[in-house]
Amino acid sequence: MGLHGFKTKDDIYCYSLAKALYYVVSPVTVGFYAPWGRSKDILLNKVESYLCAETCRKEKKEFLKNGQNTRKTTGKDLIKLIFLIIFYHPVITKEHDLRQNKRYVFIRFSAWEFAGSDQLWAGLITTLCDGIERCFGLAPISVYRTVAKKTKFIDAPLKQEWVSKKFLCIPLWIATLLVITIGITVGALILIFGFPFGDPTGDMVAAAEGVGATVVGISAAGIIRVAITVIRNAIVTQKVTVEQKMNRTDMSSQLGFMSDVKREIKTITCYLKLIEVFQRQKIKVILEITNLDKCMPDKVAGVLNAMNILLSDPNAPFISILAVDTSIIVECVESSQMLKGMANNGYQFLNRIITLPFSIPKMDCETKMFCLGNIINKKGELIRETEEDMTVDSDITSEKDQPLLRKVVPHNDSVVSDIPLSRSNEQGQSNNFLPDKGKKTKTLIDEAFKYLIDERMKDVTDNDVHIRRVVNTIIVTIRLMIMDVPRTQIKPHKVAEWVLLATQWPCRLSWILQCIEDEQQRICLDEQDVASKYSIYSKTLLWKVFEKSLEELDVIKSSLKHLLELDGDPEIFQKLLSENFTVEDANFFLPYTVNLDYSIKREMELLRGSNNMWESKKSNRLTILSLLNMSIEEVCKEMGKLGFREDNLTKYRKRIEENNLNGRALVYSDNNEIRATLGMDLGDWTLFSVYFLGVLPPPPAAPAPTQVINKQEAPKSGAENLLKGSIMSLYLSNENL
C-alpha cells in the first residue's frame, strides 16, 4: 500500500484527475488518452470512485456548515419536487452559489454499441437523455418539459429558494385551490338544486352555478391538456423522439434535427439547474465516451462534433471525458470525409476540442505486478486440480487416445515429423502419464506464474490485454503439454518465456520458425549425413538463426511493416532468445503454441520462398534474397548461365574468388567498383548487372523542360543499385556484417 493508501501509480493518476474535475469549471472536455490495452474502463471506474468519495466528504462538511440535508427525488421529496416545478420559480440565491457539495451523474457512452447507426453522434444525445431520466426519475422531467416555458430562474438577492408563479397577481397554487374550491362548491350546488335550465337571471343559485361551471370548465380544460402532455412525455420519452427524428433522411429534417438537439440540451441544462436548487447541491454530468477508436472515421467525426454542441452553452453542467487512443483517433480525423479541409492535422483538431488533456503514462513495474497478481488470483478456480481433474487427465492421456490428440495438435510438416514431439516416446516410456509421476498441473502453472511475477513481466509489456493473454495462454499451454509430455520434462519458466515470445513478438518469432523450417528442409534434401547435420543444427540458438537472416528480413521489411508493428521491444527479444532457446526447443514447443497466428508465418513463407522463385523466373534475374545467401562458389556457378565467352568467364570467376565477392558483397558494394574489379566490358557488364544486381535499363529521356535547370544538380543514373539506401535497422552491427 503506497502513499495515502494508494496501491498503484494508476490510483494516484486517477485520484489527481478526480480532484481536478471536482473543482474544474464546466463545461469542459477531458482528453483521457491511453494506448490500446490500458483498460480505460477500469481507470474510469477509479476516477468515479474517487469523485464519489470526494462528494461524500464535501457533503458532510456542508451539513456541518448549514445543517441542511440534501433532498432526493423519491417518496415525499418527489411529490414536493413536482409541486414546486408546477407552481414555483427556482431562485439562484447567494447561498446556493457558495455551496461546495456536488453530485456527479456518470453516463458512459460506448460508441461501439451505436456503430451500426447512420448517425452515431445522435446515440450520444439519446444516451444522455436516457441517463438523466434514469438518475432523477421520469416523472419530474416529464412535468418540467410540460411547464418549462412558464418556468424561469430568478437570480436575485433573495433568501427564499422558491418564488410562487402568479396568475392574475395571485399565487398560482392559491388560484388552483380557488378553482378546486369553486369546482367542489358548484358540484355541491348541482347535487342539491340540480343543473340550471332556462333563464338563470332570476335565480341567484342558478347564476352562481353557471359562472362556477364556466370557470371550472375552462380550468379543467387547461389541467387536462397539461396532464395529457405529461403522460405523453412519460410514454414517448425524449430518447424515443430523438431516435424517430434521427431516422429521417431529407436534409431539411436533419437541419431541424440539429436545432431540436440544441434545444434539448438547453432543456436538460435548465432542468438540472432546477434540481440543483431543490436538492441543495451542485450537479455535474460526466459523459464518458469510450470505444470511439473502434468506429469508422466519419462516425468518429460526428461524435466529436456532437461534443461541440454540448460545449456550446457556457452554463451547461457537462464534463465530457473522451477516453481514446490518440494514435487511432488522429488517423480517423484526418481520413474523415466530413472534416476535409477542417482537420488536415488530427492533433490540432483535437487540441481545439480538448480543454483538459490527461495522458495516462506507461504502466510502471509496480502497477504491472499488481495487475498481474490480480489476474492470477482470479484464475485460481481455473487452475485448481481436483480429484476429477486427475481422473480426466489420466483417461485423456491413455495410450488409446494418443493418436486422436496428435490429429488435434498442429505439427510442422514433414521435417518436424522427424523430431520426437513426445519426449516419452523417445525414451520408450508409456504415454499414460499419471499425476503422481511428476508435479501436479496446478503446481506447474503456479511456478510459471511465479516466474512471471519475479522476472520477465517487469520489462515486457504495459498492455493489460497482453498480460491477460499471457496468463490465459500459460494455463492452456501447460494443460496441452501434460497430455503429451512427461510432467518431469515440463519446465514452467521456459513455458512462460515461450508464451511471452509468441505474445509479444509474433512477427519475429514467426520469421525464425520459417527460417528453421526452410533450413531443416535443405538438410533433409541434402541426403548426406542428415542425422549429424540435423543434430548440430538443433543445438543452434534461436538468436543465431535470427542474426543470420537479418539481412533477408531487412530486404523485405517494407512488405512486413504492418506485422513488425505487432512486436515489442527488440532488446528484450534479443535477451530472451540469446539466453534460453535453441532450434530443438522451438521444435518442441511449436505443437503447443496456440497463441501464435500461423497466417503470419505463411505470409513469410510466401515472401521467402515461392514468391522469390516466381519473381526470379518472371524477370530472368536473381532476387535480392537469393543473392544474399550465395557463397563464392554459387556466384561462380551462376556466372555460367549468362553466356560469357569461355576465356572471359574464367577471368571473371578468378577475380570473384580473389576479391571474395560472395552474394552479400555484391549486394552492398558500389556497382562501379564491382565493374572495375571484374574488368567487364559494356556488353558483359549489362548482362551481369541485370541478372545479379537487378539494374534495369534507364527509362526513355523526357523532353527538355522549359525552366532553367540548376547546373550544380547532377542527373541521376538509371543504373543505380536497387538496394542503395537500404538501412539495416534490425540490430545489424559491424559484427553481423
Side-chain angles (χ1 to χ4, degrees):
M1 191 73 72
L3 185 64
H4 300 300
F6 298 123
K7 296 180 180 179
T8 65
K9 283 190 176 180
D10 278 353
D11 294 337
I12 298 176
Y13 290 124
C14 293
Y15 173 78
S16 301
L17 177 59
K19 201 77 173 177
L21 291 180
Y22 195 88
Y23 296 101
V24 75
V25 178
S26 60
V28 64
T29 298
V30 181
F32 195 74
Y33 301 145
W36 176 85
R38 271 301 261 123
S39 295
K40 293 183 280 291
D41 287 334
I42 296 177
L43 297 177
L44 288 174
N45 290 338
K46 291 184 178 182
V47 173
E48 290 183 10
S49 64
Y50 288 127
L51 270 174
C52 291
E54 184 70 12
T55 298
C56 293
R57 190 176 69 85
K58 289 291 185 179
E59 183 65 34
K60 293 178 181 178
K61 186 176 179 180
E62 190 71 19
F63 177 76
L64 294 175
K65 179 180 177 181
N66 53 34
Q68 290 182 335
N69 284 318
T70 57
R71 298 190 182 110
K72 302 183 181 299
T73 55
T74 57
K76 295 180 180 180
D77 287 340
L78 175 60
I79 298 174
K80 186 174 183 179
L81 172 61
I82 293 176
F83 179 82
L84 292 173
I85 290 175
I86 296 174
F87 297 110
Y88 282 83
H89 298 293
V91 179
I92 309 299
T93 63
K94 183 178 180 180
E95 181 183 3
H96 178 74
D97 288 333
L98 296 177
R99 284 184 175 129
Q100 295 295 320
N101 57 323
K102 298 178 182 179
R103 177 182 180 181
Y104 286 92
V105 180
F106 300 99
I107 300 175
R108 187 163 300 183
F109 172 71
S110 178
W112 183 79
E113 296 178 4
F114 294 85
S117 172
D118 293 335
Q119 300 290 341
L120 174 62
W121 66 270
L124 177 64
I125 306 302
T126 59
T127 301
L128 175 64
C129 297
D130 196 38
I132 297 297
E133 290 172 357
R134 286 200 314 268
C135 182
F136 299 104
L138 185 58
I141 194 169
S142 299
V143 173
Y144 179 76
R145 291 185 194 280
T146 304
V147 301
K149 294 181 179 179
K150 298 180 181 179
T151 302
K152 61 181 180 179
F153 291 86
I154 300 175
D155 192 355
L158 302 176
K159 292 185 177 180
Q160 66 270 27
E161 294 180 336
W162 298 89
V163 173
S164 178
K165 297 177 182 179
K166 303 291 185 178
F167 178 75
L168 299 177
C169 298
I170 303 173
L172 182 60
W173 66 274
I174 295 178
T176 303
L177 285 178
L178 289 176
V179 171
I180 294 173
T181 303
I182 292 173
I184 294 173
T185 303
V186 170
L189 291 174
I190 292 175
L191 184 63
I192 296 172
F193 299 101
F195 195 82
F197 293 99
D199 185 10
T201 54
D203 191 342
M204 295 299 297
V205 174
E209 288 180 356
V211 173
T214 303
V215 173
V216 172
I218 296 174
S219 302
I223 294 173
I224 291 173
R225 183 180 62 83
V226 171
I228 292 175
T229 305
V230 171
I231 295 172
R232 181 179 61 82
N233 289 334
I235 296 175
V236 184
T237 63
Q238 197 65 17
K239 176 182 178 180
V240 175
T241 303
V242 172
E243 288 176 346
Q244 290 175 348
K245 293 183 178 181
M246 181 178 62
N247 293 329
R248 299 179 183 176
T249 57
D250 56 286
M251 182 57 67
S252 60
S253 65
Q254 289 183 11
L255 295 176
F257 182 36
M258 293 292 292
S259 177
D260 290 341
V261 168
K262 292 182 179 180
R263 192 181 305 112
E264 174 62 19
I265 297 300
K266 181 68 175 178
T267 301
I268 291 177
T269 300
C270 295
Y271 174 70
L272 292 176
K273 190 182 296 185
L274 182 145
I275 295 294
E276 282 184 353
V277 176
F278 175 74
Q279 292 191 335
R280 301 192 184 107
Q281 62 183 353
K282 300 292 182 65
I283 295 176
K284 302 292 181 183
V285 178
I286 297 185
L287 187 60
E288 302 164 342
I289 303 172
T290 62
N291 296 322
L292 188 60
D293 38 21
K294 297 180 181 179
C295 301
M296 300 297 288
D298 285 341
K299 295 184 178 182
V300 170
V303 172
L304 296 178
N305 287 332
M307 293 173 62
N308 286 332
I309 295 177
L310 294 177
L311 298 175
S312 60
D313 185 358
N315 298 318
F318 298 119
I319 298 176
S320 303
I321 299 181
L322 185 63
V324 294
D325 183 345
T326 48
S327 62
I328 299 176
I329 292 298
V330 165
E331 290 187 10
C332 290
V333 169
E334 292 175 351
S335 60
S336 172
Q337 296 297 323
M338 295 174 59
L339 300 176
K340 283 294 183 183
M342 298 172 54
N344 296 328
N345 188 320
Y347 288 101
Q348 289 182 353
F349 183 81
L350 283 180
N351 289 338
R352 292 199 295 267
I353 296 176
I354 303 301
T355 51
L356 176 58
F358 192 88
S359 296
I360 299 295
K362 185 178 180 180
M363 189 184 296
D364 64 292
C365 292
E366 183 181 356
T367 303
K368 194 183 303 180
M369 292 301 101
F370 181 81
C371 177
L372 178 61
N374 282 343
I375 294 173
I376 290 175
N377 290 336
K378 291 178 181 178
K379 296 296 178 183
E381 291 296 326
L382 295 178
I383 62 176
R384 183 176 299 156
E385 188 169 36
T386 61
E387 292 297 324
E388 290 79 9
D389 289 330
M390 296 180 185
T391 304
V392 171
D393 288 347
S394 176
D395 292 340
I396 292 178
T397 56
S398 63
E399 190 166 351
K400 64 179 181 180
D401 290 335
Q402 282 296 319
L404 179 61
L405 177 64
R406 292 217 176 250
K407 292 181 182 179
V408 176
V409 178
H411 290 256
N412 191 13
D413 300 332
S414 59
V415 176
V416 182
S417 63
D418 295 332
I419 307 167
L421 297 177
S422 176
R423 302 292 178 89
S424 62
N425 294 340
E426 239 181 280
Q427 302 168 3
Q429 296 176 357
S430 171
N431 286 332
N432 189 9
F433 306 136
L434 295 176
D436 58 354
K437 296 287 183 166
K439 297 178 180 178
K440 293 183 178 181
T441 305
K442 182 179 184 302
T443 304
L444 292 172
I445 296 175
D446 285 342
E447 288 182 4
F449 287 161
K450 183 179 180 182
Y451 179 76
L452 282 182
I453 295 175
D454 293 342
E455 297 290 338
R456 293 303 179 192
M457 287 301 293
K458 292 182 179 179
D459 302 322
V460 173
T461 180
D462 63 342
N463 190 308
D464 182 78
V465 175
H466 286 175
I467 295 175
R468 294 175 184 274
R469 190 177 298 167
V470 169
V471 171
N472 293 333
T473 306
I474 286 176
I475 297 173
V476 175
T477 302
I478 290 181
R479 288 199 175 275
L480 275 175
M481 294 180 71
I482 61 174
M483 298 179 184
D484 201 35
V485 179
R487 296 171 186 258
T488 55
Q489 295 185 16
I490 299 176
K491 298 178 180 178
H493 73 280
K494 297 201 75 171
V495 174
E497 288 184 340
W498 184 262
V499 170
L500 280 176
L501 281 172
T503 301
Q504 290 299 110
W505 297 276
C507 179
R508 286 174 172 82
L509 183 59
S510 297
W511 173 260
I512 291 174
L513 293 175
Q514 184 58 44
C515 291
I516 292 173
E517 180 180 314
D518 292 343
E519 183 63 27
Q520 290 176 155
Q521 288 174 348
R522 281 192 289 268
I523 292 174
C524 291
L525 293 174
D526 194 14
E527 297 182 355
Q528 294 180 0
D529 200 12
V530 175
S532 176
K533 290 181 180 179
Y534 191 88
S535 177
I536 294 172
Y537 183 67
S538 64
K539 304 300 180 184
T540 306
L541 288 173
L542 294 188
W543 178 249
K544 295 297 182 183
V545 175
F546 185 66
E547 275 189 319
K548 185 179 178 181
S549 63
L550 270 177
E551 290 152 321
E552 296 181 54
L553 184 57
D554 183 72
V555 170
I556 64 172
K557 66 182 179 182
S558 59
S559 301
L560 298 174
K561 181 180 178 182
H562 62 296
L563 296 177
L564 286 169
E565 291 175 353
L566 300 176
D567 288 355
D569 191 339
E571 294 178 353
I572 304 175
F573 176 72
Q574 177 183 358
K575 185 177 180 181
L576 280 173
L577 286 188
S578 59
E579 291 179 354
N580 300 302
F581 294 100
T582 63
V583 172
E584 183 180 13
D585 293 326
N587 288 325
F588 173 70
F589 282 112
L590 184 59
Y592 317 107
T593 309
V594 295
N595 60 325
L596 186 65
D597 188 349
Y598 289 95
S599 65
I600 299 176
K601 181 174 173 290
R602 174 60 178 167
E603 187 169 343
M604 294 174 179
E605 179 183 358
L606 294 175
L607 287 171
R608 199 169 189 263
S610 58
N611 187 50
N612 294 326
M613 294 173 60
W614 167 247
E615 289 295 332
S616 177
K617 182 178 180 181
K618 181 176 67 174
S619 59
N620 195 27
R621 62 177 184 266
L622 294 176
T623 62
I624 296 172
L625 294 182
S626 301
L627 186 59
L628 275 172
N629 293 319
M630 281 188 177
S631 63
I632 296 174
E633 293 77 14
E634 290 172 332
V635 172
C636 292
K637 183 178 179 181
E638 291 293 327
M639 292 282 288
K641 299 179 180 180
L642 299 182
F644 297 137
R645 294 202 313 266
E646 191 63 33
D647 56 338
N648 284 346
L649 179 60
T650 303
K651 180 181 67 173
Y652 298 152
R653 285 175 173 173
K654 183 178 180 181
R655 292 186 177 181
I656 288 173
E657 292 174 353
E658 290 175 351
N659 292 277
N660 193 26
L661 289 179
N662 57 16
R664 184 183 301 177
L666 291 175
V667 168
Y668 295 109
S669 298
D670 183 76
N671 290 354
N672 294 327
E673 292 179 356
I674 295 174
R675 180 178 179 181
T677 301
L678 296 178
M680 288 184 172
D681 55 26
L682 180 60
D684 288 353
W685 171 249
T686 301
L687 292 174
F688 179 88
S689 61
V690 170
Y691 185 73
F692 278 92
L693 306 178
V695 177
L696 300 177
T706 56
Q707 66 270 21
V708 178
I709 300 177
N710 189 352
K711 294 182 179 181
Q712 296 180 354
E713 183 179 353
K716 295 183 179 180
S717 171
E720 288 181 333
N721 192 325
L722 295 180
L723 283 175
K724 296 301 178 281
S726 177
I727 301 174
M728 300 298 291
S729 61
L730 298 171
Y731 292 96
L732 277 179
S733 60
N734 294 330
E735 292 81 31
N736 303 133
L737 299 174

